Each structure stands twice: as C-alpha cells, then as structure tokens.
Amino acid sequence: MEGMLHARILRSPHAHAKVVSINTAGVPRDVVTLTRDDVADLEPLYGPMVKDQPVVAGDRVLHVGDAVAAVAARTPREAEEALELIEVEYEELPGVFDPVEATSDSAPLLHEGLEIPAEYRPDGRNVCHRFRLKSGLGKDGFAGADVVIEESFEIAGAAHNPMEPHATLAYWEEGRLHLITGTQTPFNTRRDMAALFRIPEETIRVVVAPMGGSFGAKTFMRLEPITAALARKARRPVRAVLTRGEEFITVNRHPAQFRIRLGANRDGTFVAKSVDAWWDTGAYADCGPSVCTKGGYAAIGPYRIPNVTVDSRCVYTNLPPAGAFRGYAATQGVWASERMTDLMADRLGIDPLELRLKNLLRDGDRFATGEVMHDVRFADCLRNAAEAVEWGAESRNKGLAVMLKGMQTPSRTGVALEIDAGGHVVLRSATTDMGQRPEIAQRNLAAHALGLSPDLITVGPNDTDLVPFDTRTTSSRSTFMMSNAIRAAAHDLRRKIAERFEVAPEDLVMSDEGVGVTGSPDLSRPFADLAGVRGEGTFVTPGGLDPDTGQGIASSHWHQAAASAEVSVDAETGVTTITRLHTAVYAGNVVDQAGAELQNEGSTIFGIGSALYEGIVFEGGQVTNGNLSDYEIPSMLDVPDFTYELLEGGEHSHGLGEMAVPVVPAAIGNAVAAAGFPVRNLPMSAESVLGAPHHPASPPGRRKRRPTSPQVGR
C-alpha cells in the first residue's frame, strides 16, 4: 500500500530470561519502534484458549525466538538494520524442555496468576489443562484381562512448512482496524484482536487473502497483534512477513510422550486400555488444551474397549509454542495406539488384521466417550487397505493402521446466497482458501442445491464485513458444515424468490435461464431481475466433553481412515524404503473429485514426512535444524508410487484435508517392526531404526512371533 512500512521482530536469544532493560535510543528517528511501553494500554495478554501471551515481552522471555521488540521501516533492509541497534539486557533463568520434567516441583514455573477459563483444568506445575476420561471400570478393568502389555512412545515436534510463510498487513482508517492476513480463523481473529485492543468487534475488519498453504500454522493469531500495534503507532500501513527461519520458532506441532497399557483376553478381545500422555505446548498454550483432549481420545483407537482411562496433560515448557497441525493431535495418538495394537497381536500370536477386525467399532456401538457411533466404516477402510498390499498372501514386512479422528465440535457455520445484478448467485462464506480449492467445492454444492450450473455460482471475497459467521476453517470440517449450511441457504433463497412471485416454493422452476413457475410460462424472469434477493443458512452441531470424565459428544462426525504399507529395511544402514503404500479414507459423497484426490495425495505425502524424515531438534531450547537444508521434508525422489481409495456412501460429504496423515506413519511403523525393527518413536530415522532392538523377520506365513515374556518391555 502507499506509504507502507515493513516490520521486523527482535527475538530473544535465550530460552528463559528476565528482560532487565530495552534501549532504542540508537534507532533512527524515521524507524518506528515497538516495545513493552508502547502496548501498556492494551490487554496485557492474549491467546485463543488461555490468555498467556504478550504482544511483546514484558518482564520475561519464555523461549528462544520470543518477541522482545519490533520495528517498522521504509524497506525490509532498513528494518533489519534497525534491529541491530536495539540494546537489550537479559538475566538468564533456568529453562525446562521436557514436558514430563516440567511437571516436577523442581521445574521453573513459567506462568503465574493466569485466568484459566472454566472449561480447562490446570492441575499441577506448568500443566495448563488436564483432560481425563474414564469408562467402565477404568484401570480396575485390567484385572479381567488375560494379557496386559505396557509401552512408551515419543513423537517429535514438526514444522508446518507452508510454501508461503506467515504474512499480515495492518492499517487504521477512520477509527477502524483493517487486517489483510493469512488466517484460518477470521472471526476468531476479529474477536481476539478486539479484546486485545479494547475496541468493539465491529471496528475491526479482517480480509483473508488466499494463502500458499497453512496446515494449521495460521489457525490463530501470530503476526496480527504486533503488526496492528506498529501500524497504530506509525499511523501508516505496516506489513510483516516471517522469514523461513522465523517459522520454526513461531509455531510447530506438539511433541508428545505416551505411556499406554493394553489388556486383552487370549482370544484377542480387548478388555482395558489406559493412556497417559504429555503434550509439550511450549511457552504459550495456544490451542494445546484442545490438542491434549483430542489426542487423548484418539489414542484409544476406533475399538470396542469396555474399560478405558485417559490422563492427558498440556504442559508449558521453554520451547517455541506448539499449535494446530495437519492431522490435529491424531498423528501422535494414532502412532501410539496402532503400534500398541500390533504389539498386542505379537504377544497373542494373532494376525494384526484379524485382531483389529475383531475389536473395531460398528454402527450402534458406544465409544469410550459414551456417544453412539453412526455411519461407521472403519472395517471397510481397513479391509480395503489390507487388500491393496495383498495382506493374506504374504504378510512379511507389511503393516496396517486404522484411526478415528474428531471434527471441531461444537461448531457453527453460516452461508449466504445472494443474486447480483449480473444474474449470478454470489456465495458468501468465511471458509478460507489455503490451496484446498474450497471455491470449487462450494460452487458445486450450491449448484446442486439450487439445480443450477456451477458456472452461475461465484464465490465472494472472504471479508468479515461481508460474510456470515463461521467457527473456523480447521479440522477438515468445512465441506461437511458448508454442505449443510448451503442447503439451508438454498432453501431460504427459494422461499424468498417464491415470495416475490407470490407462489409456494415448490412451484418454482429454476434453471440457468432464470426462474419460472410451474404452469405459468408468462411469469418467467431472468436472475438479473431478482438482484438483491439473499438467502441465508446456518448449520450448528452441538457437543463437547466433560473434561473431568471425558463423557459427552466428542465429534459430530468421525473421520475414518486406514493405511497399509510394505517396506524393506537395510539392516546395515537403517534406511527404510517404502515398496507399497495405500490409504483408504471414508469420504461420504465426493463433491470435487479432483480436489478430493489432491487432498488425499497431499495427506499421504505429509504422513510419509512425519514417518521417516520430519522432527525438530532442540538443544537448550534452540532449534538446531531450523532451515530447509537441515530439516528434511520429502522430496519427489523420497515419495514412492502409492495408491488410495476414496470410499463413498452415507448422507453427507466429509472433509479430506488430513484424514490420511495419522495412519500413514503408523502403518509404516508397523511394517518396519514386522521387518524386525520394533520402533517406538517418530520420526523413524535411520539412526532410530538401528537403535531399535533387532529381531529377525518372521518366516513366510507367520506375521508375528510370540515372545516368552508376559509383557512387551518398557
């Protein structure tokens, strides 16, 4: 924009330290600076679930990369040079970098005196939320099991690495704050920014530009507070764009640790399961309370288990914040759950496919949360995956995995369908474009609901001044929620058009040529004559879980998927090669075939990255591989040929943006274990594979060997 300044952020080099003083006297006068003194009139803290993060550091910094100050200058280079002129005096403090250690009495306390919302359960040192679930007899149920095994698992943090980094443009005009930003949650951003700046929501306008990827990184506020505060002080537009290195210290996937016990009878019937989990949410909670909840019940798996206990903790550490990540908490939980299922199959000497099919949830069963399962396709997905790798013919070096993943619940979505002067139907929704082709899916849905060609449907700009409220574009919820809201809006539009014609809605005849009335050809009118007629629709799903018992409705619809893999492992180098890989996901009714295929392919490749390559490495709180040379994501040469199936059926259309992600690492991990390398942790680097206790692969015709010990060892 004309007169725009470029922002850069001064970041802490320490994982935990007091900020003794900040001196900006050496910064040129034409450069705008922002320190803690400049935001003293704002709310001191913000956050999507727990208000615990300052715009810039106050008395302390809590992670390497924490924002201490910011500048805005005429060029990015001038802004970068200005950062070097700010003098900050720190007093280093002890840090803690492991979520289990962070809960001990000897760990430094990172936050004090926070106002925790009533729905969360801070419990213990540095624990900002603790989700518990109990069904049946809970841990007492293990007394009824013939075999009990116990194992621990660890999953590293991972970087989102969207092609486009975080970017925000802010300006103030006539008392209003305008934000043009890459966000998955425009209405959350508007609400949280209004609270932070202590102004009415209506004085903030959020415009979401199409993003070059997100994968959860842009779910909640990142750059918006600093950019808006700089623009307020500068009285000019300010633009902030993160560097690739800054992405690694802004938000990542939650590292997690699990300790799981599983009890079964000798015939393979599951009897009891307990899940203890620690989620490293970093210096600020972000959406960690939700992650620890959803990851906690994802680790139960899609199984009938009468006695279940979950104790899942969201823990502060002195690492960069962790937030939403494609496969939202399910990747971690499914890894632990599905590796555990194979360990039980090994212990019992039962084929892993047979064991899963015996225990999978079916229609009408109750999940551990107490909710009745409907439209259940777990067995269909699993059988499809098994057939793709010829499971029954030869099972050596092959692995399976199946999962359930919850959708954002409760949830609300609004949509409007408005006829414009050109005779088009403009669809207005807050679904954000992250490269997943939402405009195509929504046009197809609206065209089907109205009986028109998609060519007559256009999608309006994503602007909170123009679009109805939507909870957010996350958790692969948009297609499911929008399809129902669009049907309601189409019904409302037909009703309002019928009022213009003074006829019943069922008497309308709509086509690409316009609107007519059955039996009255003289009443036909082109759509342009109906400009301004607007139909609105809202779709709401109730639900939620009791955080103390885990009972309630976790998901209005369950995402369901399975994967199968065949691998070869070099015993000398530990290098794993995928020879076959297949995913089977339940799609419901596919709206955009090409888009659905692309989403599933992207999810599969994402899963390969988490399985074999991707893990952020920290040393003293510092990211040591925070660039695209040292942090490995799959290249074209790393991705094998793979296959997949989109299973259709049911009454609804379902999101596919992340359903294959959680099952791919687990299937590959089970295949690596079948090859004789019983891995426990992600990613399965060559070093970690070689570090796993090596067992010769089973002879042909036998999938597993029965160990002599009554437990698979910790």
Side-chain angles (χ1 to χ4, degrees), residues 78 102 180 188 206 308 367 426 433 447 509 569 651 685 713:
E78 288 179 31
I180 303 173
N188 289 75
V206 179
V308 173
F367 185 48
V426 180
D433 184 352
V509 178
V569 181
E651 300 179 5
S685 64

Side-chain angles (χ1 to χ4, degrees), residues 489-507:
H491 178 80
D492 190 46
L493 183 65
R494 289 182 66 91
R495 181 182 62 80
K496 290 178 177 176
I497 294 173
E499 289 176 355
R500 291 281 188 98
F501 281 84
E502 298 183 344
V503 299
E506 57 268 24
D507 292 332

Side-chain angles (χ1 to χ4, degrees), residues 304 360-367 371-374:
R304 294 187 307 277
L360 280 176
L361 291 161
R362 313 277 176 167
D363 273 323
D365 287 342
R366 286 190 181 274
F367 185 48
E371 58 205 281
V372 177
M373 305 297 287
H374 300 289

Side-chain angles (χ1 to χ4, degrees), residues 24-307:
T24 62
V27 177
R29 288 189 175 184
D30 60 348
V31 175
V32 180
T33 61
L34 186 80
T35 68
R36 55 195 176 187
D37 295 335
D38 297 302
V39 295
D41 61 323
L42 305 184
E43 283 292 321
L45 301 169
Y46 69 91
M49 295 182 183
V50 178
K51 289 180 170 38
D52 57 5
Q53 183 166 0
V55 177
V56 290
D59 296 333
R60 287 189 300 164
V61 289
L62 296 180
H63 70 93
V64 173
D66 214 352
V68 179
V71 300
R74 290 173 299 177
T75 67
R77 181 173 179 176
E78 288 179 31
E80 193 70 40
E81 291 171 348
L83 291 184
E84 301 293 329
L85 303 174
I86 300 176
E87 298 176 354
V88 183
E89 182 183 352
Y90 298 97
E91 180 184 320
E92 284 195 71
L93 298 170
V96 61
F97 311 109
D98 179 274
V100 177
E101 293 176 7
T103 63
S104 69
D105 292 339
S106 61
L109 185 62
L110 302 192
H111 295 276
E112 284 188 88
L114 294 177
E115 293 185 12
I116 305 291
E119 61 264 36
Y120 305 127
R121 300 292 185 269
D123 188 356
R125 197 169 189 82
N126 291 318
V127 177
C128 67
H129 178 54
R130 189 170 189 173
F131 169 72
R132 294 182 176 94
L133 180 149
K134 180 181 178 182
S135 67
L137 299 175
K139 290 184 178 179
D140 292 339
F142 284 102
D146 296 329
V147 176
V148 177
I149 63 174
E150 181 173 344
E151 188 55 84
S152 295
F153 305 91
E154 189 167 348
I155 300 93
H160 299 80
N161 276 318
M163 193 173 287
E164 176 192 34
H166 287 81
T168 295
L169 171 66
Y171 64 96
W172 296 78
E173 187 176 76
E174 297 180 355
R176 295 194 77 197
L177 169 61
H178 298 258
L179 289 167
I180 303 173
T181 188
T183 179
Q184 297 175 233
T185 57
F187 283 97
N188 289 75
T189 298
R190 187 180 73 167
R191 178 200 66 196
D192 293 347
M193 288 291 287
L196 177 63
F197 280 84
R198 296 172 172 164
I199 57 179
E201 284 189 41
E202 294 72 24
T203 62
I204 298 179
R205 175 189 179 212
V206 179
V207 179
V208 183
M211 289 169 276
S214 177
F215 314 121
K218 300 164 188 173
T219 299
F220 296 113
M221 295 198 305
R222 308 289 172 207
L223 284 178
E224 291 86 359
I226 283 180
T227 312
L230 276 168
R232 185 182 68 157
K233 184 176 181 181
R235 298 185 180 183
R236 294 169 67 176
V238 173
R239 177 177 182 259
V241 180
L242 292 187
T243 65
R244 182 60 60 184
E246 286 179 300
E247 290 285 319
F248 285 86
I249 52 175
T250 298
V251 62
N252 298 304
R253 184 181 73 190
H254 284 78
Q257 298 180 36
F258 290 85
R259 185 172 65 242
I260 297 184
R261 295 181 75 206
L262 180 61
N265 288 332
R266 290 186 180 86
D267 67 355
T269 302
F270 290 162
V271 174
K273 188 172 191 177
S274 69
V275 176
D276 281 283
W278 293 263
W279 301 82
D280 187 340
T281 204
Y284 305 110
D286 198 81
C287 61
S290 170
V291 166
C292 91
T293 297
K294 293 190 175 183
Y297 66 66
I300 299 168
Y303 300 114
R304 294 187 307 277
I305 309 175
N307 308 296

Side-chain angles (χ1 to χ4, degrees), residues 595-619:
E597 292 174 359
L598 287 167
Q599 284 290 286
N600 199 64
E601 290 168 11
S603 292
T604 301
I605 295 168
F606 234 78
I608 293 171
S610 286
L612 300 178
Y613 305 105
E614 298 188 51
I616 297 179
V617 180
F618 295 98
E619 184 174 330

Side-chain angles (χ1 to χ4, degrees), residues 386-425:
E387 291 171 4
V389 294
E390 301 175 280
W391 183 268
E394 171 54 68
S395 298
R396 179 186 289 181
N397 293 16
K398 296 177 185 178
L400 295 169
V402 62
M403 70 101 190
L404 87 175
K405 177 187 169 296
M407 193 179 73
Q408 175 70 37
T409 303
S411 196
R412 179 161 72 95
T413 288
V415 170
L417 296 171
E418 182 178 336
I419 300 174
D420 69 8
H424 286 83
V425 178

Side-chain angles (χ1 to χ4, degrees), residues 564-567 576-582 601 604-605 607-609 612-613 634-644 664 668:
S564 56
E566 183 179 37
V567 303
T576 298
T577 301
I578 302 169
T579 54
R580 279 197 285 189
L581 181 63
H582 181 85
E601 290 168 11
T604 301
I605 295 168
I608 293 171
L612 300 178
Y613 305 105
S635 74
M636 286 292 188
L637 297 178
D638 297 316
V639 177
D641 289 336
F642 59 85
T643 57
Y644 56 87
V664 167
I668 295 172

